[in-house]
Amino acid sequence: MLGAVYRDHPAALVAAPAAAIEATTAKDLREFHAARYRPNATLLIVAGDVTLEGILPKVREAFGDWQRREAADTRIPAVPAASARRVHLMERPGSVQTMIQLGIAGITRTDPEYFPLLVMNEILGGQSSSRLQQNLREKNGYTYRAYSSFTHVEAIAIKEKNYVKWYHEELKRRTRYASQWCHGAPGMNPLFLANYTRTGDQRSLLWATDSTKYLLDQGVNVRENASVCHGIAGNAASLLMMYEATGNEDYFATIRGAVELLYGTMKEDAQGIWWDSPDNRQDYSYMTGLAGVGDFFVLLQSEGRLKMFGPLGYGDDLAASTAGSADAAGR
């Protein structure tokens, strides 16, 4: 998406090209620092149990001899205006779902309309009750998920220990589990891995790896729930994607453990095999029951060729096909 929107502009780069990094010398870094780091172009932030009267002498002692000088121009060129509508088609034979993305360069963070735009985005497509979701999904049933965003992945990543984690609704609800499929590490990883597969961008793989470290630290058995969106199957599916991308056997070992957990929570009666939803009712729907777990078994049986869940979306219409898949995998 970044390449399609920004084209030759620096903002299209997710990370510096390898050749540029290899060509950079220590002398280049020293000259860059000397030309651009100035007290008159610096913001000093002090946090903690301090007072202004107590901290000012220490600041003056540390930085008092730092002389004011004009800094080199660091202005980034303006993003070129889109001259015409363009369509980028990424053909993936065998895919069972289609994703449509529309993007355009937005305003800068210093624009006075930046924060009003964030509020507007929440109304348009930033949450489940947004206008896009209510119209395209709830009213017309055209798609499972419709959303809009005005953010950057760096802005919502939470870096802790040796991993990265994510929270639902951009950090507003810190009590939510961040390993679950829809709203956490497994939901982010397909985005990172798709970009890594398409471009070879190592930074995207690093984001996915660090997200998965948090998933492994927390464990796949989120809420002791087997379903795809919020539990074992979704997390294990994300690990399978990571195993395919890296060949790391640690991921596969965790997947084996997840499958054992799924078999341990499996129920069977005259109607066949099924899994409880979180409130312990028999549920065939995509999010919380048999269909989601069944899709995960199809993913395993097809050796990962099924890249997305829910070929028909979600709901009871998947129960028959996924029940058969789960049964075949289990027996």
Side-chain angles (χ1 to χ4, degrees):
M1 175 63 79
L2 291 179
V5 171
Y6 293 110
R7 291 169 286 172
D8 297 327
H9 189 272
L13 290 176
V14 177
I21 296 175
E22 292 171 358
T24 302
T25 65
K27 180 174 178 291
D28 294 329
L29 297 177
R30 286 193 294 268
E31 291 178 350
F32 182 90
H33 184 275
R36 289 170 172 80
Y37 282 73
R38 298 285 185 267
N40 45 297
T42 299
L43 179 64
L44 178 64
I45 300 175
V46 179
D49 186 14
V50 297
T51 63
L52 182 61
E53 294 78 11
I55 200 65
L56 276 179
K58 297 179 181 179
V59 171
R60 292 193 179 104
E61 180 183 356
F63 300 102
D65 59 351
W66 197 10
Q67 297 299 311
R68 176 189 180 94
R69 285 187 291 172
E70 289 303 315
D73 187 2
T74 57
R75 244 175 294 168
I76 298 174
V79 177
S83 57
R85 180 182 300 169
R86 292 175 296 135
V87 177
H88 296 260
L89 177 63
M90 295 178 60
E91 187 175 0
R92 297 180 62 207
S95 293
V96 297
Q97 287 189 344
T98 299
M99 176 179 288
I100 301 174
Q101 293 182 315
L102 292 84
I104 191 170
I107 61 177
T108 65
R109 297 194 178 206
T110 56
D111 192 294
E113 295 297 320
Y114 176 75
F115 288 102
L117 184 59
L118 293 182
V119 176
M120 181 276 293
N121 179 71
E122 287 294 301
I123 299 170
L124 174 64
Q127 52 186 311
S128 298
S129 60
S130 66
R131 294 179 181 180
L132 282 176
Q133 184 82 339
Q134 291 299 310
N135 187 312
L136 298 182
R137 171 175 167 166
E138 301 299 331
K139 179 181 178 180
N140 293 297
Y142 293 149
T143 182
Y144 172 70
R145 181 78 169 97
Y147 63 92
S148 65
S149 63
F150 186 77
T151 185
H152 189 275
V153 66
E154 293 273 7
I156 60 173
I158 304 174
K159 299 179 181 179
E160 291 185 4
K161 300 180 182 177
N162 66 333
Y163 51 65
V164 171
K165 61 183 180 180
W166 318 88
Y167 282 102
H168 189 214
E169 295 174 1
E170 294 185 6
L171 321 188
K172 293 176 186 174
R173 300 175 64 180
R174 290 182 174 271
T175 58
R176 294 292 291 267
Y177 288 93
S179 289
Q180 58 192 345
W181 174 256
C182 277
H183 311 300
M188 298 294 288
N189 281 356
L191 168 68
F192 296 135
L193 292 175
N195 191 56
Y196 169 67
T197 301
R198 180 171 63 89
T199 67
D201 175 21
Q202 291 292 323
R203 193 160 183 264
S204 293
L205 180 60
L206 182 60
W207 276 112
T209 301
D210 287 347
S211 295
T212 305
K213 287 177 183 176
Y214 176 67
L215 191 160
L216 294 174
D217 183 72
Q218 184 176 346
V220 297
N221 194 14
V222 178
R223 304 189 197 177
E224 299 182 354
N225 179 14
S227 67
V228 66
C229 269
H230 307 126
I232 302 168
N235 291 317
S238 177
L239 288 167
L240 179 59
M241 294 178 185
M242 289 297 296
Y243 173 72
E244 291 175 333
T246 66
N248 187 330
E249 293 292 339
D250 291 340
Y251 296 143
F252 201 78
T254 308
I255 294 168
R256 289 183 181 277
V259 172
E260 291 178 2
L261 286 171
L262 287 176
Y263 285 147
T265 57
M266 184 173 65
K267 307 292 178 65
E268 187 171 10
D269 58 21
Q271 298 182 41
I273 290 173
W274 53 281
W275 280 264
D276 280 334
S277 66
D279 53 0
N280 296 315
R281 60 187 174 86
Q282 187 170 343
D283 191 348
Y284 295 108
S285 71
Y286 175 68
M287 275 193 170
T288 55
L290 184 148
V293 181
D295 271 1
F296 171 63
F297 280 122
V298 171
L299 190 73
L300 288 176
Q301 289 290 89
S302 64
E303 297 180 347
R305 287 190 295 273
L306 179 61
K307 296 295 182 184
M308 297 292 288
F309 293 146
L312 299 178
Y314 66 99
D316 291 19
D317 52 356
L318 282 175
S321 61
T322 51
S325 302
D327 186 59
R331 305 307 171 90

